[in-house]
Amino acid sequence: MGEDITIYQSSGSVAEYCSFLMDFLDSAAEFDPNADSSEILQAFFEESRQSGEWNKTPLDERHRIEEAFARAESGRC
């Protein structure tokens, strides 16, 4: 993840965030079909939380983002 990809593109619903994450996983699979989607999501989530944007994001939105990651990891939004 050398490119600065962020989930904070705009406020959204859990379903919208989850859809973004599922698209992200689909794109990642094109580069490495054997990649573990759970590991990719975990790394992306940790990178997102460590960014300066995380602390600037309202608490309710952070909860939506966390829920979206959980749903994406389950494979369904």
Side-chain angles (χ1 to χ4, degrees):
M1 290 189 216
E3 190 177 324
D4 185 24
I5 300 173
T6 180
I7 195 164
Y8 312 106
Q9 295 175 351
S10 63
S11 295
S13 68
V14 172
E16 289 170 327
Y17 283 133
C18 184
S19 178
F20 168 83
L21 292 169
M22 296 301 281
D23 289 344
F24 178 75
L25 287 175
D26 288 344
S27 295
E30 290 180 22
F31 293 103
D32 185 358
N34 299 317
D36 183 320
S37 61
S38 184
E39 287 180 13
I40 292 170
L41 284 173
Q42 185 63 34
F44 188 22
F45 181 67
E46 289 304 318
E47 186 175 314
S48 295
R49 289 190 67 209
Q50 292 173 7
S51 78
E53 292 300 313
W54 185 257
N55 291 329
K56 296 176 192 173
T57 303
L59 186 59
D60 63 327
E61 189 154 343
R62 283 187 277 177
H63 289 303
R64 288 194 302 273
I65 292 168
E66 291 167 340
E67 177 65 22
F69 272 98
R71 288 186 188 183
E73 191 165 2
S74 77
R76 54 189 166 88
C77 294

